[in-house]
Amino acid sequence: MRFADRIAGLPPYLFAELDRRIAEKRAEGVDVISLGVGDPDLPTPAHIVEALQKAAEDPVNHQYPSYYGSPGLRGAIADHYRERFGVPLDPETQIQPLIGSKEGLAHLPIAFVDPGDEALVPDPGYPVYATATQLAGGTPVAFPLFAETGFLPDFAELPVTPRTKLLWLNYPGNPTAAVADRSLFEKAVAFAREHDLLLVHDAAYIEMTFDDFRAPSLLEVPGAMDVAVEVGSISKTHNMTGWRVGWAVGNPEAIKALATVKTNIDSGIFGAVQDAAVAALQGPQDHVEDLRMIYARRRDLVVDTLNDLGWELEPPKGSFYIWFPTRGRSSVDFAEHLLQSAGVVVAPGSGYGANGEGYARISLTVTDDRLEEAMSRLREALA
């Protein structure tokens, strides 16, 4: 049996490896508290669950769905962008529903990257940007992000070449929790136009913001529709990670190219889940502000704990992660120390790129009591 070279060249997926380590420790009888994966602990709001239950009984949803997403879901996404960001979208040509945003991120390079082409990948950054580029036969070219500049790119320093096809951005960011204002996106759009790039913005955490900061959409920038696609999700905003619904919106030609890939690979989203997504987008939104308050409270607990132990962290304004230096230890050694001495899992920063070495990431997606227990254990392990 001979495997494809594209598989042999991929590193183990960070979160799958974390799952394996957690299972090992729990099998040993250790009470593990995992702060490693960003999977909301709170349930999906009841009105969304009820919409799914009703839709699942409809025989229309027992057949193949549309490859392009239902008109109702595309219309709901268009309404959301108009109301939230003031961005008009054509539901027919500028919106493609996804089986979760990760699926769209993974398929976009197939539509744009040929063997030998390059994609500019943030480092540290979500690992899928690099691996999706590799799976398409391309070469991920990392551009470093530094704490001193708020983990924002310096476009004048990006290593663009004639083979560069695509530029990835992600704000609010994973793993860094960095946020970007509209001026950063204006620079990104100008850079993409100058170098004839597809600009892809992963906006999965766009509603997870704090302290009166509200994240803008890349598509608010004039000219963005000419060069960009923004990938969104209801996973974090509505506690629906397991439901697998997202979208790509933006440049019509790019959306058409992505749809061409998808129609040859998948058969669309289960119709009942699409109906539930419509309920999420068009129904009550009170829980979104409640989520922000919960994550802000948890954020402050973690930041205060680490600062009491000698760190000097500023509370992040976006996502639900805390990204912090490991102070002299390697990322893996630091994470292993916490696992062995405290039964607490954090994600080693090296899993997010070479520039993530020397950092670790804590996710705030555990119940308050378990997070408090985890912080108590950290105080003892790191004192």
Side-chain angles (χ1 to χ4, degrees):
M1 182 181 299
R2 292 173 292 174
F3 296 101
D5 290 342
R6 70 176 67 91
I7 294 296
L10 292 182
Y13 187 54
L14 171 63
F15 302 116
E17 188 67 13
L18 286 176
D19 281 349
R20 185 187 67 79
R21 295 289 288 124
I22 292 167
E24 285 179 354
K25 297 305 291 184
R26 286 177 175 161
E28 296 170 7
V30 176
D31 174 28
V32 175
I33 302 176
S34 178
L35 309 180
V37 180
D39 190 1
D41 59 294
L42 297 165
T44 305
H47 71 277
I48 302 172
V49 177
E50 291 165 3
L52 173 74
Q53 292 169 334
K54 180 180 179 180
E57 296 176 351
D58 187 344
V60 170
N61 286 324
H62 301 171
Q63 297 177 298
Y64 282 125
S66 166
Y67 286 106
Y68 304 103
S70 70
L73 178 54
R74 284 185 275 114
I77 295 167
D79 290 345
H80 170 68
Y81 260 78
R82 184 180 62 255
E83 294 166 6
R84 169 68 173 84
F85 304 111
V87 173
L89 293 171
D90 181 347
E92 299 296 326
T93 64
Q94 294 177 312
I95 296 174
Q96 175 59 55
L98 304 171
I99 309 173
S101 61
K102 182 180 178 181
E103 174 258 301
L105 297 172
H107 283 152
L108 271 166
I110 297 175
F112 286 90
V113 176
D114 288 317
D117 288 340
E118 298 171 348
L120 295 172
V121 176
D123 179 6
Y126 185 41
V128 171
Y129 310 143
T131 56
T133 300
Q134 288 177 264
L135 285 169
T139 301
V141 177
F143 60 90
L145 303 177
F146 300 106
E148 294 78 10
T149 54
F151 296 106
L152 301 175
D154 180 350
F155 292 101
E157 297 296 324
L158 295 195
V160 65
T161 76
R163 296 308 305 251
T164 309
K165 286 279 195 73
L166 194 152
L167 168 61
W168 299 94
L169 293 179
N170 169 220
Y171 295 101
N174 173 23
T176 66
V179 297
D181 60 19
R182 180 166 167 158
S183 66
L184 185 281
F185 292 145
E186 290 171 350
K187 295 174 185 176
V189 168
F191 183 85
R193 181 182 294 109
E194 178 184 358
H195 296 285
D196 191 24
L197 306 180
L198 175 67
L199 173 59
V200 181
H201 181 226
D202 177 3
Y205 300 91
I206 199 166
E207 300 300 343
M208 294 296 98
T209 56
F210 317 110
D211 304 335
D212 297 325
F213 175 79
R214 289 295 177 265
S217 165
L218 169 67
L219 298 181
E220 293 178 34
V221 174
M225 204 66 71
D226 297 331
V227 298
V229 167
E230 188 162 74
V231 179
S233 173
I234 60 175
S235 291
K236 276 60 176 192
T237 310
H238 302 283
N239 301 331
M240 295 175 70
T241 50
W243 298 58
R244 311 315 306 140
V245 185
W247 54 79
V249 297
N251 178 270
E253 294 178 353
I255 295 299
K256 183 178 180 180
L258 175 60
T260 300
V261 172
K262 285 178 55 60
T263 56
N264 282 281
I265 291 178
D266 67 65
S267 296
I269 308 164
F270 177 35
V273 171
Q274 295 192 62
D275 290 349
V278 172
L281 290 168
Q282 295 187 336
Q285 302 296 307
D286 299 8
H287 61 277
V288 180
E289 186 57 36
D290 291 342
L291 277 178
R292 293 189 186 111
M293 294 175 63
I294 290 168
Y295 289 135
R297 183 175 68 244
R298 295 176 181 177
R299 174 201 66 173
D300 293 344
L301 170 63
V302 173
V303 169
D304 288 347
T305 298
L306 291 172
N307 285 349
D308 286 348
L309 291 167
W311 273 264
E312 296 179 356
L313 305 178
E314 291 293 329
K317 293 185 180 295
S319 82
F320 43 52
Y321 302 116
I322 305 298
W323 179 249
F324 62 103
T326 53
R327 299 200 303 182
R329 296 192 186 194
S330 77
S331 298
V332 170
D333 286 348
F334 182 86
E336 187 66 19
H337 171 68
L338 290 184
L339 178 60
Q340 297 297 338
S341 64
V344 173
V345 174
V346 299
S350 55
Y352 299 95
N355 218 46
E357 178 53 67
Y359 286 86
R361 192 197 75 175
I362 284 176
S363 172
L364 304 175
T365 55
V366 295
T367 60
D368 289 5
D369 60 329
R370 292 295 274 172
L371 187 61
E372 290 169 2
E373 170 65 19
M375 291 303 100
S376 176
R377 295 184 192 181
L378 255 66
R379 286 182 183 275
E380 185 174 346
L382 298 176

